[in-house]
């Protein structure tokens, strides 16, 4: 597959920096939306089961798996919709789905939330691709990190290091790894932090003391460069 970024990025070096300085228990995950079959690198294997997107992230993060997944491999309809693989289901669209799960006080409150969930248009995505960042055979569009609050603090400081400002995170306690970390970061071009959701914590190994962040891959060099500085700053060491 031809490179899809004008300025090459050393992903293995970036992964090593992130893993060491953030004290990660697994790998940062390279993620990409493939719009057609030809974008999938030769020899890259298709996932051989049907699981949730957040579980797919877990396979790359914790087991070092490299693979792509089609719509048929995605078990969670909400995740598949937000990633542009499937049409939204009627119960998700009208608010009944999360209302019946007890997440909202009314179906109207649920619909107001769903209407603002970041998502790609259905059919935009042919496949989703996953790999540990240090071994990625494709140029990722988003890098997903699952880590401690301390690590997220350092990533926050790295995000505002160059130009300052404030972090405006987008999340609602649902669809954390799919909509918040992947779709939102991809569509906005900004780092997006999320708390994780019940599904991702249950099915993908996100621990009680861990949070999730999606980083647009284009700004990965800037983030890692700043991370080296902020983690070495006086008073920045983890206890």
């Amino acid at each position: 597959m031809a490179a899809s970024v004008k300025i090459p990025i050393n992903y293995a070096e970036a992964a090593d920096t992130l893993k060491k300085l953030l004290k990660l228990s697994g790998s940062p995950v390279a993620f990409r939306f493939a719009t057609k079959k030809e974008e999938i690198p030769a020899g890259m294997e298709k996932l051989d089961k049907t699981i949730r997107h957040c579980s797919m992230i877990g396979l790359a993060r914790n087991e070092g798996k490299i693979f792509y997944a089609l719509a048929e491999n995605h078990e969670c309809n909400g995740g598949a919709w937000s990633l542009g693989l499937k049409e939204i289901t009627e119960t998700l669209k009208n608010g009944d789905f999360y209302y019946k799960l007890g997440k909202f006080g009314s179906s109207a409150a649920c619909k107001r939330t769903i209407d603002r969930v970041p998502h790609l248009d259905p059919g935009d995505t042919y496949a989703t691709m996953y790999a540990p960042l240090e071994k990625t055979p494709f140029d990722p569009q988003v890098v997903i990190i699952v880590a401690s609050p301390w690590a997220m603090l350092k990533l926050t400081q790295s995000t505002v290091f160059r130009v300052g400002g404030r972090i405006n995170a987008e999340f609602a306690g649902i669809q954390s790894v799919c909509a918040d970390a992947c779709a939102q970061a991809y569509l906005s071009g900004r780092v997006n932090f999320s708390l994780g959701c019940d599904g991702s914590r249950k099915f993908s190994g996100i621990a009680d003391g861990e949070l999730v962040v999606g980083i647009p891959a284009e700004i990965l060099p800037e983030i890692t460069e700043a991370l080296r500085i902020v983690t070495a700053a006086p008073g920045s060491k983890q206890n």
Side-chain angles (χ1 to χ4, degrees):
M1 184 182 74
S4 56
V5 290
K6 295 292 187 183
I7 302 175
I9 299 173
N10 188 326
Y11 299 116
E13 181 180 293
D16 184 64
T17 298
L18 292 168
K19 290 166 80 172
K20 287 181 178 178
L21 297 184
L22 297 177
K23 308 181 189 301
L24 301 183
S25 61
S27 294
V29 176
F31 173 81
R32 184 177 182 87
F33 298 96
T35 61
K36 53 188 177 182
K37 185 176 182 179
E38 290 72 23
E39 293 180 20
I40 299 172
M44 191 173 179
E45 295 186 358
K46 176 180 174 291
L47 187 65
D48 61 357
K49 51 189 171 182
T50 301
I51 57 176
R52 296 164 182 259
H53 163 74
C54 51
S55 298
M56 297 179 195
I57 293 291
L59 289 177
R61 175 198 173 203
N62 298 315
E63 300 182 28
K65 302 291 187 182
I66 300 173
F67 59 93
Y68 71 91
L70 301 178
E72 65 197 46
N73 298 116
H74 282 260
E75 181 178 7
C76 174
N77 287 322
W81 162 66
S82 68
L83 298 172
L85 289 157
K86 296 180 180 180
E87 295 281 350
I88 189 171
T89 62
E90 186 61 31
T91 57
L92 188 61
K93 184 177 181 180
N94 65 24
D96 284 348
F97 179 75
Y98 281 114
Y99 173 66
K100 289 180 179 179
L101 286 179
K103 308 288 187 186
F104 295 90
S106 67
S107 58
C110 180
K111 177 169 172 48
R112 293 185 198 107
T113 304
I114 292 300
D115 285 346
R116 296 179 60 183
V117 168
H119 62 278
L120 280 70
D121 290 336
D124 277 358
T125 305
Y126 170 76
T128 48
M129 299 193 287
Y130 309 79
L133 183 62
E134 64 270 19
K135 298 190 296 184
T136 181
F138 56 86
D139 287 316
Q141 292 163 331
V142 180
V143 174
I144 309 300
I145 296 175
V146 178
S148 69
W150 175 86
M152 295 302 177
L153 167 62
K154 296 298 112 180
L155 285 172
T156 297
Q157 293 170 342
S158 300
T159 300
V160 300
F161 179 78
R162 180 164 297 189
V163 297
R166 303 281 292 178
I167 298 292
N168 295 302
E170 286 275 350
F171 57 86
I174 59 171
Q175 298 186 231
S176 174
V177 180
C178 52
D180 296 350
C182 290
Q184 174 69 15
Y186 171 71
L187 293 171
S188 69
R190 297 190 299 272
V191 175
N192 195 47
F193 295 87
S194 185
L195 301 178
C197 58
D198 292 327
S200 63
R201 291 187 178 280
K202 180 178 180 180
F203 296 104
S204 66
I206 299 176
D208 288 348
E210 293 180 319
L211 306 176
V212 185
V213 66
I215 302 172
E218 300 96 321
I219 64 172
L220 191 60
E222 177 182 327
I223 294 293
T224 54
E225 180 183 0
L227 185 63
R228 294 186 185 99
I229 298 171
V230 300
T231 54
S236 185
K237 297 297 183 182
Q238 184 179 24
N239 293 330

